[in-house]
Amino acid sequence: MKKTNNYFVVDPWKIVETKFDKNRVKYSESIFSIGNGYMGQRANFEEDYSGDTFQGSYIGGVYYPDKTKVGWWKIGYPEYFAKVLNAPNWIGVSIKVNEESLDLNKCNVKNFQRELDMQKGVYKRKVQLILKNGIELSVEVTRFISLNENSLGAIEYKILAINNNCQILIEPYIDSNIINEDSNWDDSFWKIESLKKTKLFSAIISKTNKTKFEVCTYMANKLFYEKKAVDPLPISIKSKSKISQSFKINIKKGKILTLNKIGGYIKAKENISKNLIDQAKEIVDKYLKFDFDDLLKIQIESWKKIWDVSDVKIDGDVNAQQAIRFNIFHLNQTYSGKDPELNIGPKGFTGEKYGGSTYWDTEAFCLPFYMLTKKQSVSKNLLKYRYFQLDKAIENAKKLGFDKGAALFPMVTMNGEECHNEWEITFEEIHRNGAIAYAIYNYVRFTNDFNYINEMGIEVLIAISRFWAQRFSFSNDKNKYVILGVTGPNEYENNVNNNWYTNYIARWCLIFTKKQIIKIQNFYPNDFSRIAKKTNWNLNEFKLWDKIIKNTYLPYSNEKEVFLQQDGFLDKELIKANKLKLTDRPINQNWSWDRILRSVFIKQADVLQGFYFFSEDFSLDELKKNYEFYEPFTLHESSLSPSIHSILSSRLGLIDDAYHLYLQTSRLDLDDYNQELDEGLHITSMAGTWLAIIEGFAGMKINDDTIHFKNNLPDKWKSLSFKIYVRGSLLQINLSKIHNNYIWEDKSTLKIIIKGK
Ligand code: BGC
């Protein structure tokens, strides 16, 4: 295991940076990102900064379809790649001190500290600096994005004159002249519609080109000199894209100037007819009169409600404690579950890489976190998201040559259309269909809400199973049904035949869907007629499904007694990952793609992902053999990988291994294991981290009407406690070396089995 740094102070509730390093600004901008599920931003400085920075502010669901650019067009490619769009800047504050611009890149920074207080949901920065003109200042900034009010962000910006009197020109602004880090054709993404200023606030209405998302970026400001309000100069329109409000004031040595700025975005929605400016006015009227500290109190209370349910307490290991809270914090900042149109992008609101907001990550990794720490409506919204996109998934499958209502959900999407255009991902990573079906199964076994299946889920299951039934082909040579030309979860191999994981989950989908259809036919006849009509269901379809189920080819090595990741896996040179030079890692940054494809090295759990999902289907001995075979070849160069291996090693009683893998997944960004922190955080894998504790160290599993636990605490941990929602009731779990307590906070009829008893 590689540990790249210990840069941030280790603290149970805070992430703290104690120095200013110009080379690390982009990294810290990712770590200290804040958001509320609706909007979010990287931790860019409010004041002008001429050094290396990655400016990023994002609004959930707002994207631009950047026309696909490829060398060789392949039929079936999506027309566009969805870019997660950088949104107008509402946090900006330009400052001049005796006419010199306050810019950390140009002055002498004497002290610098920033912290993310995860308990309170607040980001703070404290800087002591000397400008070139000799003026020494202390600057203290507090910023948060409200959990309570989707469109509200707030900043308190304090300046203390340390060594001299000085004149300060402070200009909070909003700016719509925004670029994305990348664009295929140098398109402009935003069109500015209008700039509006009133006495109280200012706003810019802009629209995304092509997608026509209409957004109002607004701000309102108050300035105090030693607690006395300062009158602003009139708001001025600085350019076609920028509005600012200026305050000019002389301040005395030892005195403090405080700016309170509120701002954010309001996105036009079909169901809200009120115009955006009126909506902005409403927010400003309501919140500008609040003291900053009162707004902060509301924020702290809102976070308290989240932590009351979702906190995981680890006693005896601050490193691990800080890390899990960091993961839980960011998951809550990324998705609140209030809006079924939103989802959980791999970078959340912390960067632009990946495009699109929805990958298989949502179903395979994130769903359990939201399902077990939030009310049922939240995870149901995640399922409905796919249900509402079913027609597009059917269209997508049609483009690729499938018919009769078969659906292939996109590997990456914003609105249901595929928006990724690397052929091996778009066309080949079809295993995503399996995860979407699995999520329905997972949801029902945890919530007991079978109605979701007869009301909506069954349509998704039928369409996915129809896809699999057509995608399997019969091999005369093997006398079995095979799936050719796929990429499994391990993206370090493409166009393989019979990826075990894909074949296994495809077969499982057929079995599971068939069971649900029969159940609905027997117990919900009205639903059955409706669904049969809508989907053109024909009972004869089972004939082919049954044949496939009985005769699915699942590659296996008798000699090694393991399932084979795909045909020909054993032809590879079986070199172990620990034989690789450190300078070769990560191989995706150091090796040619050709070399990667030929190698045995596995990017992320593949066969083992199947063992994780379908643990009841295999014995512990089978798990052990497969784990011992695959773990040494696995590089964990996908952030999604170490959590799954951690859970499996906990199940095998390899607690030290599980612990190291836990640190790798939980501190992936804090310690920058994958050396790409500047691009943003790995949000979706954070849910895997949480699973590594709940399903790994606490050994939680649910089958039928029974929930199982097994205390697998790492040596270092004195105790572990957390809560989860199961079947609508909240269960509190406290584990230590000497006790295991399970307390239902509400009544439940579920049986709890501890260590098999
Ligand atoms: C992983 C995929 C994942 C994607 C987004 C890739 O590196 O290999 O499994 O869906 O990242 O997180």
Side-chain angles (χ1 to χ4, degrees):
M1 194 185 65
K2 202 159 37 106
K3 202 160 155 47
T4 47
N5 68 61
N6 292 301
Y7 184 72
F8 300 104
V9 174
V10 177
D11 177 283
W13 276 112
K14 290 179 177 165
I15 310 296
V16 184
E17 181 180 31
T18 52
K19 50 181 182 257
F20 178 59
D21 177 348
K22 288 183 186 173
N23 297 318
R24 287 199 55 107
V25 167
K26 282 179 163 184
Y27 296 74
S28 295
E29 283 172 344
S30 301
I31 290 284
F32 293 94
S33 297
I34 50 175
N36 65 359
Y38 171 85
M39 63 177 181
Q41 58 194 205
R42 293 169 57 77
N44 304 130
F45 299 145
E46 290 80 3
E47 69 278 356
D48 301 342
Y49 182 66
S50 56
D52 199 15
T53 160
F54 168 7
Q55 297 287 306
S57 214
Y58 309 98
I59 307 166
V62 172
Y63 70 98
Y64 179 82
D66 208 13
K67 196 169 160 349
T68 305
K69 192 175 203 174
V70 285
W72 243 312
W73 184 263
K74 294 183 173 60
I75 292 176
Y77 262 162
E79 297 292 323
Y80 68 88
F81 182 83
K83 291 266 150 72
V84 170
L85 266 200
N86 206 344
N89 174 353
W90 68 264
I91 63 163
V93 182
S94 290
I95 298 163
K96 284 205 170 119
V97 184
N98 289 352
E99 301 198 351
E100 180 181 334
S101 178
L102 196 165
D103 173 352
L104 293 199
N105 191 39
K106 293 188 177 153
C107 53
N108 170 8
V109 177
K110 281 177 74 181
N111 285 307
F112 180 93
Q113 170 153 338
R114 55 173 146 186
E115 68 173 48
L116 194 58
D117 187 329
M118 301 181 285
Q119 190 167 26
K120 299 181 175 160
V122 178
Y123 162 63
K124 283 189 174 170
R125 185 163 58 103
K126 215 172 161 179
V127 192
Q128 197 175 332
L129 56 96
I130 306 176
L131 290 149
K132 291 216 169 79
N133 60 21
I135 300 289
E136 182 166 355
L137 303 174
S138 161
V139 173
E140 217 178 302
V141 194
T142 309
R143 180 161 109 206
F144 63 87
I145 294 193
S146 170
L147 269 197
N148 194 48
E149 179 75 64
N150 283 345
S151 298
L152 180 73
I155 301 171
E156 181 186 66
Y157 199 105
K158 284 186 168 177
I159 304 174
L160 162 73
I162 295 183
N163 66 343
N164 250 318
N165 302 344
C166 54
Q167 187 196 59
I168 297 202
L169 174 67
I170 183 161
E171 289 187 288
Y173 65 86
I174 44 179
D175 185 4
S176 265
N177 181 19
I178 290 305
I179 50 157
N180 252 55
E181 284 265 293
D182 53 342
S183 144
N184 282 342
W185 307 90
D186 291 330
D187 288 357
S188 72
F189 294 153
W190 289 97
K191 183 167 170 275
I192 297 161
E193 301 270 293
S194 60
L195 285 77
K196 166 110 184 156
K197 51 177 188 157
T198 70
K199 251 186 130 178
L200 204 59
F201 75 102
S202 29
I204 302 178
I205 306 285
S206 30
K207 245 189 198 168
T208 54
N209 287 325
K210 293 191 190 167
T211 31
K212 308 282 177 227
F213 289 106
E214 196 179 5
V215 170
C216 165
T217 308
Y218 75 94
M219 69 160 180
N221 306 289
K222 288 186 297 192
L223 189 79
F224 300 93
Y225 178 46
E226 289 291 301
K227 300 199 174 141
K228 259 182 61 200
V230 177
D231 286 335
L233 301 170
I235 294 177
S236 73
I237 295 188
K238 285 275 178 186
S239 69
K240 278 194 293 199
S241 66
K242 187 171 176 179
I243 310 185
S244 69
Q245 184 167 33
S246 315
F247 300 84
K248 202 176 208 173
I249 181 158
N250 294 319
I251 68 169
K252 292 228 157 64
K253 178 179 161 184
K255 303 288 181 197
I256 296 177
L257 194 63
T258 306
L259 170 74
N260 287 159
K261 177 175 187 179
I262 60 170
Y265 310 111
I266 303 156
K267 184 169 90 176
K269 285 206 134 207
E270 270 168 24
N271 54 352
I272 303 178
S273 58
K274 199 181 283 172
N275 82 40
L276 292 174
I277 297 289
D278 288 347
Q279 290 182 57
K281 181 173 182 306
E282 235 169 59
I283 292 181
V284 171
D285 279 346
K286 184 164 171 196
Y287 291 103
L288 191 64
K289 53 178 180 274
F290 275 71
D291 282 345
F292 184 80
D293 285 346
D294 292 335
L295 284 180
L296 200 58
K297 256 189 222 147
I298 303 175
Q299 174 78 343
I300 296 169
E301 276 160 24
S302 308
W303 272 99
K304 183 174 177 309
K305 283 191 199 135
I306 291 204
W307 287 116
D308 278 349
V309 178
S310 63
D311 192 20
V312 171
K313 294 193 186 94
I314 299 170
D315 188 16
D317 188 349
V318 192
N319 231 12
Q321 174 68 83
Q322 179 187 42
I324 188 61
R325 287 193 174 132
F326 180 71
N327 287 252
I328 295 170
F329 180 69
H330 278 293
L331 286 165
N332 277 293
Q333 296 205 107
T334 307
Y335 183 71
S336 67
K338 290 182 205 158
D339 183 344
E341 283 177 18
L342 299 183
N343 212 279
I344 309 137
K347 294 259 163 259
F349 298 115
T350 72
E352 286 146 34
K353 192 180 164 190
Y354 290 113
S357 71
T358 315
Y359 282 63
W360 74 304
D361 306 27
T362 293
E363 284 78 15
F365 292 82
C366 302
L367 179 91
F369 170 80
Y370 295 101
M371 184 166 66
L372 296 180
T373 65
K374 309 268 168 228
K375 295 279 185 199
Q376 201 167 307
S377 59
V378 171
S379 44
K380 197 165 180 172
N381 272 347
L382 286 175
L383 299 188
K384 282 189 196 162
Y385 177 93
R386 296 290 193 176
Y387 175 72
F388 293 136
Q389 298 183 348
L390 178 59
D391 288 346
K392 292 212 166 119
I394 292 175
E395 241 174 70
N396 186 39
K398 233 189 223 163
K399 272 190 218 156
L400 305 185
F402 299 87
D403 58 9
K404 300 194 177 108
L408 177 61
F409 281 89
M411 185 62 184
V412 186
T413 194
M414 270 292 184
N415 66 351
E417 285 164 22
E418 177 62 74
C419 63
H420 200 297
N421 44 44
E422 282 170 62
W423 62 270
E424 64 275 29
I425 291 177
T426 310
F427 301 137
E428 294 202 334
E429 262 200 84
I430 53 176
H431 66 81
R432 69 239 191 190
N433 251 10
I436 291 165
Y438 185 85
I440 296 175
Y441 156 74
N442 215 5
Y443 168 82
V444 172
R445 71 175 167 160
F446 273 97
T447 60
N448 220 11
D449 175 20
F450 184 79
N451 281 344
Y452 177 73
I453 298 199
N454 48 343
E455 281 165 13
M456 297 180 183
I458 192 66
E459 291 173 47
V460 173
L461 291 171
I462 289 175
I464 285 177
S465 293
R466 283 174 166 164
F467 170 81
W468 289 126
Q470 293 173 42
R471 188 62 170 78
F472 272 106
S473 52
F474 186 72
S475 157
N476 283 320
D477 181 46
K478 292 189 166 62
N479 202 19
K480 293 270 182 195
Y481 283 89
V482 295
I483 301 186
L484 307 178
V486 301
T487 295
N490 170 32
E491 291 179 340
Y492 285 175
E493 272 187 294
N494 305 139
N495 207 248
V496 298
N497 291 336
N498 295 310
N499 168 252
W500 179 84
Y501 172 80
T502 306
N503 288 16
Y504 198 87
I505 204 165
R507 174 174 177 269
W508 173 86
C509 285
L510 296 175
I511 299 171
F512 181 68
T513 307
K514 181 175 170 189
K515 262 196 206 152
Q516 309 317 305
I517 294 174
I518 293 171
K519 186 166 168 185
I520 295 172
Q521 192 174 13
N522 291 337
F523 297 103
Y524 306 89
N526 291 341
D527 283 324
F528 183 77
S529 333
R530 174 182 52 81
I531 292 156
K533 199 164 158 217
K534 188 165 174 197
T535 61
N536 258 327
W537 173 250
N538 181 339
L539 275 177
N540 282 331
E541 290 184 55
F542 280 154
K543 283 191 192 146
L544 176 60
W545 295 18
D546 286 339
K547 279 199 218 157
I548 297 172
I549 292 167
K550 274 201 204 108
N551 292 298
T552 306
Y553 176 63
L554 295 165
Y556 183 77
S557 159
N558 288 321
E559 188 211 324
K560 309 252 181 224
E561 297 183 43
V562 295
F563 292 105
L564 289 178
Q565 193 172 270
Q566 71 271 335
D567 285 351
F569 187 78
L570 288 179
D571 296 337
K572 298 193 163 215
E573 198 183 346
L574 301 181
I575 310 169
K576 299 197 168 158
N578 62 11
K579 294 280 178 291
L580 273 176
K581 287 196 270 188
L582 270 187
T583 47
D584 285 339
R585 312 262 313 253
I587 59 171
N588 62 34
Q589 290 175 23
N590 294 296
W591 283 12
S592 71
W593 196 245
D594 164 71
R595 188 172 175 197
I596 291 175
L597 293 179
R598 282 183 283 119
S599 82
V600 73
F601 297 118
I602 301 173
K603 182 181 182 191
Q604 67 201 89
D606 192 304
V607 168
L608 295 179
Q609 183 76 36
F611 269 79
Y612 163 66
F613 275 163
F614 302 108
S615 63
E616 292 86 46
D617 296 0
F618 305 102
S619 68
L620 218 53
D621 185 52
E622 282 172 302
L623 170 61
K624 185 167 183 289
K625 287 192 172 115
N626 282 273
Y627 184 84
E628 285 172 356
F629 182 72
Y630 284 109
E631 162 58 22
F633 304 130
T634 309
L635 301 182
H636 302 298
E637 287 180 6
S638 158
S639 62
L640 299 176
S641 187
S643 56
I644 299 301
H645 282 231
S646 176
I647 295 168
L648 297 180
S649 43
S650 282
R651 286 184 187 161
L652 289 170
L654 306 168
I655 307 302
D656 281 352
D657 293 3
Y659 177 70
H660 290 300
L661 288 157
Y662 165 77
L663 284 186
Q664 192 172 342
T665 173
S666 64
R667 301 195 60 89
L668 182 93
D669 290 319
L670 286 171
D671 292 338
D672 196 14
Y673 280 110
N674 285 9
Q675 298 172 29
E676 53 190 14
L677 176 59
D678 49 330
E679 294 169 348
L681 302 178
H682 296 85
I683 299 293
T684 45
S685 72
M686 293 183 176
T689 298
W690 181 84
L691 286 170
I693 293 189
I694 311 308
E695 297 191 14
F697 300 130
M700 190 275 292
K701 269 191 197 176
I702 191 159
N703 329 320
D704 302 323
D705 285 330
T706 315
I707 183 157
H708 299 247
F709 289 93
K710 186 165 169 277
N711 180 333
N712 294 316
L713 288 203
D715 273 350
K716 240 181 151 177
W717 295 12
K718 289 196 193 119
S719 68
L720 166 69
S721 48
F722 60 89
K723 292 179 188 169
I724 50 175
Y725 278 112
V726 192
R727 311 248 162 128
S729 303
L730 202 55
L731 176 63
Q732 158 93 49
I733 295 109
N734 305 313
L735 307 177
S736 78
K737 294 278 182 275
I738 43 178
H739 67 253
N740 301 301
N741 288 333
Y742 305 86
I743 305 154
W744 287 110
E745 291 203 354
D746 327 284
K747 270 199 187 135
S748 173
T749 52
L750 210 66
K751 256 190 267 162
I752 300 182
I753 304 253
I754 299 147
K755 260 189 141 176
K757 291 191 189 149

